[in-house]
Amino acid sequence: MISIAIDGPSGAGKSTISRKLAGMYGFVYVDTGALYRAVGLHFLNAGVKAEETQKIIDGLSNIQIDIKFIDNEQRVFLNGVDVSDKIRTPEVSLMASAVSAIGKVREFLFDLQQSMAKKHNVIMDGRDIGTVVLPNATLKIFLTASAEERARRRYEELIARGMNVTYEDVLADLKLRDQNDSSREIAPLKPADDAIIVNTTGNTFERSVTILSGLISHKLGL
Ligand code: DC
């Protein structure tokens, strides 16, 4: 099986670029952030606070997370309910970042992620795909961009979805998440030693897709 790991901070364009690349190569696109978001949503709904680590660990036994593909799009199910749309709010983003710092949560999601790469040719995006989940990935890319550019993209995305947010809040949230994701002890956000680092600041979407598809085609000998 072929696996392309795409890691990087939030808002670097991982999901839109990965989805496009998966379509081009006929691979399955796996968005692992959605799994952490589903876990975050579960505990938000249960009224558990981000700092109640033990409650979160104990509560994992009540959660079943599944991935299904409907019309080639990944859908995430939390205890049998499709939560793919509900997990896209700023509250869930912060809770996902908090729960993702807990080792037991990462262990809980590990097998599901690995099993996807065993069954399909995948483009898998996340934070620790190249370093932890798929250390033997065919190709590892670390996608990044300046915080301001990432915040601007995320802001436009949220506004387009009809959410009432300000650019300043989005930038502040993003910096907080960067800080959480990079400074945690377990599986911190960092490029794998053998990852190719691609900075998309100032690139159009098409330009970034061209750069990454160039890397993939070269690696696959296409
Ligand atoms: O990519 P995203 O913004 O949907 O991810 C949500 C959160 O989940 C993010 O703050 C970091 C965390 N995450 C992670 O720790 N490891 C992954 N492989 C994917 C996401």
Side-chain angles (χ1 to χ4, degrees):
M1 287 291 166
I2 297 165
S3 54
I4 313 287
I6 304 200
D7 290 303
S10 59
K14 295 189 303 290
S15 60
T16 42
I17 294 171
S18 300
R19 185 175 287 111
K20 174 77 181 176
L21 291 167
M24 289 166 68
Y25 291 91
F27 292 178
V28 166
Y29 165 51
V30 181
D31 164 14
T32 63
L35 308 177
Y36 290 92
R37 287 170 177 274
V39 173
L41 176 67
H42 172 82
F43 290 110
L44 270 183
N45 287 345
V48 176
K49 302 234 162 32
E51 45 301 344
E52 295 181 296
T53 307
Q54 195 55 48
K55 268 198 185 170
I56 293 173
I57 293 172
D58 295 342
L60 288 172
S61 55
N62 302 321
I63 313 182
Q64 169 71 34
I65 306 238
D66 298 295
I67 292 181
K68 291 183 189 163
F69 293 93
I70 299 175
D71 293 336
N72 265 339
E73 270 292 304
Q74 169 183 307
R75 308 295 293 183
V76 177
F77 290 75
L78 171 61
N79 293 335
V81 178
D82 185 345
V83 292
S84 314
D85 301 319
K86 286 204 195 90
I87 56 175
R88 299 293 160 195
T89 66
E91 292 74 35
V92 176
S93 296
L94 278 179
M95 192 63 170
S97 176
V99 300
S100 73
I102 302 172
K104 292 279 181 214
V105 171
R106 307 199 70 83
E107 277 171 34
F108 174 72
L109 295 173
F110 185 77
D111 290 347
L112 176 57
Q113 296 173 81
Q114 279 211 332
S115 71
M116 299 308 298
K118 286 202 183 102
K119 280 189 255 170
H120 312 277
N121 290 330
V122 291
I123 299 209
M124 191 176 288
D125 91 17
R127 303 294 189 288
D128 63 336
I129 308 307
T131 49
V132 178
V133 178
L134 304 177
N136 298 318
T138 314
L139 175 66
K140 301 177 185 177
I141 293 169
F142 192 86
L143 205 63
T144 186
S146 72
E148 288 69 22
E149 174 135 346
R150 291 185 288 119
R152 186 183 53 70
R153 292 179 192 160
R154 183 53 55 100
Y155 169 74
E156 285 168 5
E157 208 179 296
L158 291 171
I159 291 291
R161 275 205 229 115
M163 300 211 183
N164 187 13
V165 290
T166 66
Y167 168 78
E168 287 69 28
D169 284 348
V170 173
L171 179 62
D173 267 11
L174 185 135
K175 286 189 169 165
L176 183 64
R177 284 215 286 152
D178 276 3
Q179 173 66 22
N180 287 349
D181 295 347
S182 313
S183 64
R184 68 182 177 215
E185 277 175 32
I186 309 151
L189 171 66
K190 68 166 174 47
D193 291 340
D194 49 352
I196 298 173
I197 298 177
V198 177
N199 190 321
T200 66
T201 308
N203 283 1
T204 59
F205 168 69
E206 288 74 20
R207 172 88 190 119
S208 296
V209 169
T210 303
I211 293 170
L212 265 63
S213 62
L215 293 171
I216 295 171
S217 293
H218 179 73
K219 186 75 192 186
L220 300 182
L222 299 175

